[in-house]
Amino acid sequence: MKIYSSTVVQNVYQAYGKNKVGKTQKSEEVGSPGFDIQISNQGKDYQLAIEKLKQVPDVRADKVSAIKQSIENGTYTIDKTKLAKSIYSAISTNEIG
């Protein structure tokens, strides 16, 4: 990416003309009609799903405590085949970041 000096940018503005900005009017003064927005049922369902997902905790405390307990007891085991498949799947789909 090349960054140009401000004089080059100003020359481009001069070459293509300046944007003239006039006074603006409030929409009531212009007399533009109002508009009504309606959200589809699918959009409402999507919004409801997002709100419900925001309420779900990021960490499942029950699972975490069960795993901690089994680690402390020395009974926690790892399925090596399942772990290897998960790692391979993550690498092949480029999920590792």
Side-chain angles (χ1 to χ4, degrees):
M1 181 170 106
K2 190 170 184 178
I3 299 175
Y4 297 97
S5 69
S6 63
T7 55
V8 172
V9 173
Q10 288 181 3
N11 289 341
V12 170
Y13 283 139
Q14 288 175 358
Y16 290 100
K18 295 181 182 177
N19 291 335
K20 295 183 180 179
V21 178
K23 256 187 158 179
T24 59
Q25 296 176 330
K26 292 183 181 179
S27 62
E28 298 85 28
E29 295 172 0
V30 174
S32 62
F35 54 90
D36 188 24
I37 297 176
Q38 294 181 355
I39 300 173
S40 68
N41 287 335
Q42 183 179 6
K44 290 176 186 176
D45 291 343
Y46 182 72
Q47 183 64 31
L48 179 65
I50 288 174
E51 291 301 319
K52 293 294 181 185
L53 282 174
K54 287 180 181 178
Q55 295 173 2
V56 175
D58 290 338
V59 177
R60 292 177 53 189
D62 55 334
K63 283 219 167 223
V64 172
S65 66
I67 292 172
K68 280 183 180 181
Q69 187 66 37
S70 64
I71 289 172
E72 290 173 3
N73 294 340
T75 58
Y76 182 73
T77 58
I78 298 173
D79 183 354
K80 296 171 187 164
T81 305
K82 186 176 177 182
L83 176 63
K85 287 180 181 179
S86 295
I87 292 172
Y88 178 77
S89 175
I91 291 172
S92 65
T93 59
N94 214 9
E95 291 180 10
I96 296 179

